Amino acid sequence: FKQKTAYEIGVRLVGSEMCIRDRYGPEGVRAIDNLVRRGVEARIAEDCVRIAQNLGIQAEVADLINGGNLENPASLRNFLQKIAAEIANGQRGAMNELLEVVARARQGNRVSLGGRRINPADPESGQADVVDHTAREAVQMKTVTSASPDKVVSNLQAAVDQLGGSGKEIPPAGYQRTADIRITNPDNPLFGADRAALLDALRGRINNLGNLEPAGAPSGHVRITNGNGGSPFTFTADELR
């Protein structure tokens, strides 16, 4: 006799274990079971693995869940649905956020997609696209799909402003703040730019850089990933002023 997983018991799938494992594989079933054990409804847990499978990222999502380092698994299905909607429209911003969280979780870091609203009684509370509690870093991410270099500037400005609370998302107190920009369009003149060329294009054009340097936190930075083999490139606020 083989003990059923919490998922199989929760949805009364006695007798269909082989079907479940054929569909999602052992790691997929383990991911569903781990979500159920963390309080996620069984059908929602299965949706997470099904959507991830359809998106071609089942292994990444299974690692994220099974590693136990994702702080807010209850919101994972909604985030995966957001990715699917963006992909259908040719966008990859949410996908890049998820993959950033996966990479950090695989390193053993405790991470959150979006964080949680500020609560004075909770020193880790705060919001950003990616909140890494182990590294104590709040990351606001933007993916630039346009061929216009001005869109790199405007997206970076938006990320810097959001790190200052412009979108009512306030990073956790004391966390380093990072504006992370991904340039993905090969037709963008900055797609292949080296660090010097990027700095030349951005210096003096970004306002509110003090948002990267809040009191009581390590100085933040801007990180830009493009098609240049040397990327990602990191810039301090002082360099960009």
Side-chain angles (χ1 to χ4, degrees):
F1 175 75
K2 181 179 179 300
Q3 185 176 359
K4 297 291 181 181
T5 65
Y7 166 67
E8 290 162 342
I9 293 170
V11 294
R12 295 182 174 84
L13 289 175
V14 177
S16 62
E17 180 180 347
M18 288 304 296
C19 177
I20 299 166
R21 292 184 184 275
D22 285 347
R23 186 180 308 153
Y24 302 121
E27 288 304 300
V29 172
R30 183 176 166 225
I32 295 169
D33 188 53
N34 279 328
L35 285 174
V36 171
R37 291 181 187 278
R38 293 188 66 181
V40 177
E41 184 183 336
R43 292 297 181 187
I44 292 175
E46 182 178 358
D47 272 353
C48 288
V49 176
R50 176 183 57 79
I51 297 168
Q53 186 180 70
N54 291 341
L55 290 168
I57 53 171
Q58 181 177 327
E60 289 82 359
V61 170
D63 281 355
L64 181 61
I65 297 166
N66 294 335
N69 290 320
L70 178 64
E71 179 190 66
N72 49 345
S75 65
L76 183 57
R77 182 179 69 165
N78 287 343
F79 198 84
L80 289 167
Q81 290 173 331
K82 177 182 177 181
I83 292 174
E86 285 193 0
I87 292 293
N89 289 305
Q91 302 296 317
R92 289 186 58 88
M95 176 70 86
N96 286 337
E97 292 169 25
L98 178 72
L99 295 179
E100 179 71 17
V101 163
V102 169
R104 289 168 179 263
R106 282 173 168 170
Q107 293 173 356
N109 290 14
R110 185 166 57 88
V111 290
S112 172
L113 279 164
R116 54 187 183 269
R117 290 190 181 279
I118 289 286
N119 177 353
D122 179 1
E124 291 187 335
S125 65
Q127 294 176 296
D129 290 332
V130 175
V131 178
D132 186 330
H133 295 294
T134 302
R136 292 180 61 81
E137 183 181 8
V139 185
Q140 203 69 37
M141 298 181 64
K142 300 293 181 184
T143 297
V144 182
T145 58
S146 169
S148 170
D150 288 342
K151 288 295 184 180
V152 177
V153 175
S154 62
N155 275 274
L156 175 54
Q157 184 66 68
V160 169
D161 288 345
Q162 285 176 306
L163 287 168
S166 69
K168 298 184 179 180
E169 294 178 332
I170 301 173
Y175 280 38
Q176 185 179 48
R177 299 179 180 186
T178 299
D180 184 310
I181 308 300
R182 313 288 175 96
I183 306 171
T184 61
N185 189 335
D187 293 328
N188 192 305
L190 298 180
F191 177 77
D194 61 12
R195 189 180 190 280
L198 287 166
L199 184 56
D200 186 59
L202 298 173
R203 185 188 286 119
R205 302 186 65 186
I206 307 300
N207 299 315
N208 304 322
L209 286 165
N211 291 344
L212 301 178
E213 304 169 312
S219 294
H221 53 259
V222 169
R223 183 169 57 237
I224 298 181
T225 303
N226 61 4
N228 186 291
S231 77
F233 302 107
T234 301
F235 305 90
T236 66
D238 281 342
E239 286 182 291
L240 294 173
R241 287 189 169 101

